[in-house]
Amino acid sequence: MSERSPAPGGLALVESLVNTLDIESGADALDTADGRAPFGLAQDEVPAARELRESLRATLLAHAGHPPHRAVTPLGELLAAAPLLVRVDAGDGSASLTPADEGPLLSRVAAAVAEALVAGTWSRLKACEAADCYWAYYDRSPAGRGRWCSMQVCGARAKMRRYRAKD
């Protein structure tokens, strides 16, 4: 998959959650305790985490200008169940949106999305357009028009397919 550096700030959580499923091999990190540990998930929380992951993936595909990979629960519906609080720092007066409850993955993802919206980075988190990949990546290209998680892998495959189709 990608050799890119992780997404900035809270988007790294979103990126890593989406990337728990390797579409090409079918391997799902959420199937193992070690794969669930970074997200603080218990086995019984996996179905909800998978639903969130695929809703995020569909949104990241939309950021890259692609239709959803399959029917999913709209991300806004899922995030509506995660209340956020406005926290104001008494020292410098800075404010941020934080989860009302720090534990649940949904709340942490909602806070990460809110942070990225404020920072203007949310639409830079995308999913690779390759149908056998859909890996999440942060688009650092100047114009924000990145299409693949890796130019060396998915981008090269797409270019080769186009080249062969011309013959």
Side-chain angles (χ1 to χ4, degrees):
M1 302 314 160
S2 178
E3 73 283 344
R4 295 175 183 251
S5 57
L11 286 181
L13 170 68
V14 175
E15 180 181 46
S16 63
L17 176 60
V18 172
N19 291 342
T20 57
L21 177 64
D22 182 328
I23 300 279
E24 191 171 24
S25 72
D28 188 342
L30 299 181
D31 287 339
T32 68
D34 286 345
R36 291 188 299 273
F39 306 101
L41 292 173
Q43 179 64 42
D44 65 333
E45 297 172 303
V46 170
R50 285 186 174 131
E51 179 182 34
L52 176 59
R53 175 182 67 197
E54 297 313 311
S55 292
L56 286 163
R57 187 183 319 278
T59 300
L60 303 186
L61 282 165
H63 286 174
H66 305 294
H69 59 304
R70 61 184 176 94
V72 297
T73 303
L75 184 59
E77 287 182 24
L78 293 176
L79 296 182
L84 299 175
L85 300 174
V86 177
R87 298 219 190 266
V88 179
D89 184 281
D92 66 6
S94 63
S96 62
L97 287 171
T98 60
D101 181 350
E102 292 291 333
L105 178 61
L106 181 63
S107 296
R108 290 181 284 137
V109 167
V113 170
E115 172 193 314
L117 285 169
V118 171
T121 57
W122 174 235
S123 63
R124 289 275 183 154
L125 190 61
K126 299 177 178 182
C128 182
E129 75 174 41
D132 58 349
C133 182
Y134 295 148
W135 203 250
Y137 68 94
Y138 188 77
D139 184 359
R140 287 183 164 77
S141 67
R145 292 191 174 138
R147 299 173 60 186
W148 301 287
C149 64
S150 166
M151 191 60 212
Q152 291 72 29
V153 179
C154 292
R157 288 178 187 168
K159 287 182 176 192
M160 186 56 73
R161 280 192 296 271
R162 277 199 304 275
Y163 175 76
R164 288 181 180 154
K166 290 180 182 180
D167 292 341

